[in-house]
Every structure is written in structure tokens, then in C-alpha cells.
């Protein structure tokens, strides 16, 4: 909706990033036949970006195939969803997988549920770094 359009405009105007990707969205109100079509199109790469609401995942828990990158607009309210979405990522031949989480100091409680109290405190300090890297090893 509006947030996506505004974000696209900011990326194009301020950073010169082209955002003309085909995208679709899934919410708890999306009809089952539309969900099936969108999931198939995403897996076959007919759709480049798939926007999924947290409520959609909460109610349906579909396995999303073909994921190369996960971007959280904010930390998920349910910390378990963070790892569930990261498990959707298909690891390529290089072993690289990418996930980004955008947050502000207002997301302190939800961030704390994902990374723990001390890490969250360090991450939201005014003097904190602009980005953090988490490394997960496959066993």
C-alpha cells in the first residue's frame, strides 16, 4: 500500500535505486486461490518481491519457497517468526543468505525478544552502529 509506495519513491529519488520489480502481497484477507497463484508465481520468479504480513504467517504458516532475501520492516512481534522466516531462505551455492531488519528505538521490546536484552540495549543506543551482522551456522 502507501508505505511500500513511499519507500519506493524514497529509494528512487534519494538513492537512485530502481524499484520497478514486480511484487505481490499476502495478508490474512487474501483469498486461498490467490494465495496459491501468488506463491507459485513467486517460486517461478514471475514475482520478484513478496510482501507477507505477520498476521498472514500467524494464521496460515505456509512454507514459502524460492526466498533469496528476507527484509523485516520491523522486528516481528512473535520472536519465533524471525527464525521461521529465515528458514525460508534458499541458501545458494556460495552459502550466502541475506536478511535485513529495520528497527527504531520504539522497537526495543520486539527487538529484545529476538536478540536478547543486552544485545537489544546495545543496538538501540544513540551511539550504536548503523548495522549489525548475525552469523548462523548450518549443522
Amino acid at each position: 500500500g502507501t508505505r511500500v509506495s513511499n519507500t519506493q519513491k524514497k529509494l528512487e529519488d534519494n538513492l537512485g535505486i530502481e524499484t520497478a520489480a514486480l511484487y505481490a502481497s499476502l495478508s490474512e484477507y487474501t483469498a486461498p486461490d490467490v494465495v496459491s497463484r501468488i506463491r507459485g508465481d513467486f517460486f517461478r520468479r514471475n514475482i520478484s518481491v513478496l510482501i507477507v504480513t505477520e498476521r498472514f504467517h500467524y494464521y496460515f504458516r505456509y512454507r514459502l519457497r524460492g526466498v533469496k532475501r528476507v527484509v523485516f520492516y520491523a522486528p516481528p512481534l512473535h520472536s519465533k517468526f524471525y527464525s521461521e522466516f529465515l528458514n525460508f531462505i534458499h541458501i545458494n551455492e556460495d552459502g550466502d543468505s541475506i536478511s535485513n531488519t529495520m528497527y527504531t528505538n520504539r522497537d526495543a521490546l520486539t527487538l529484545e525478544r529476538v536478540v536478547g536484552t543486552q544485545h537489544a540495549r546495545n543496538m538501540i543506543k544513540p551511539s550504536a552502529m548503523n548495522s549489525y551482522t548475525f552469523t548462523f551456522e548450518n549443522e
Side-chain angles (χ1 to χ4, degrees), residues 36-97:
S36 294
R37 182 179 49 79
I38 289 174
R39 289 177 63 219
D41 286 347
F42 182 71
F43 179 68
R44 289 185 296 276
R45 303 273 180 246
N46 297 333
I47 296 172
S48 303
V49 177
L50 180 60
I51 300 167
V52 179
T53 65
E54 191 171 347
R55 287 175 57 103
F56 174 82
H57 184 66
Y58 178 84
Y59 287 116
F60 301 111
R61 303 288 172 99
Y62 283 106
R63 172 86 175 113
L64 300 174
R65 299 179 307 152
V67 176
K68 290 185 177 180
R69 169 181 270 181
V70 174
V71 177
F72 292 96
Y73 191 75
L77 294 175
H78 299 279
S79 61
K80 182 179 180 183
F81 291 178
Y82 190 82
S83 62
E84 288 177 6
F85 271 94
L86 293 184
N87 285 327
F88 292 158
I89 296 175
H90 172 73
I91 298 175
N92 62 22
E93 303 81 44
D94 301 330
D96 295 334
S97 56

Side-chain angles (χ1 to χ4, degrees), residues 15-34:
L15 302 175
I17 296 174
E18 179 62 41
T19 60
L22 292 174
Y23 71 91
S25 61
L26 296 174
S27 74
E28 65 276 16
Y29 301 111
T30 307
D33 59 325
V34 175

Side-chain angles (χ1 to χ4, degrees), residues 97-115:
S97 56
I98 300 172
S99 170
N100 301 94
T101 304
M102 296 177 257
Y103 63 89
T104 67
N105 58 352
R106 293 184 178 133
D107 296 315
L109 292 176
T110 54
L111 189 62
E112 180 180 351
R113 290 183 206 126
V114 174
V115 300

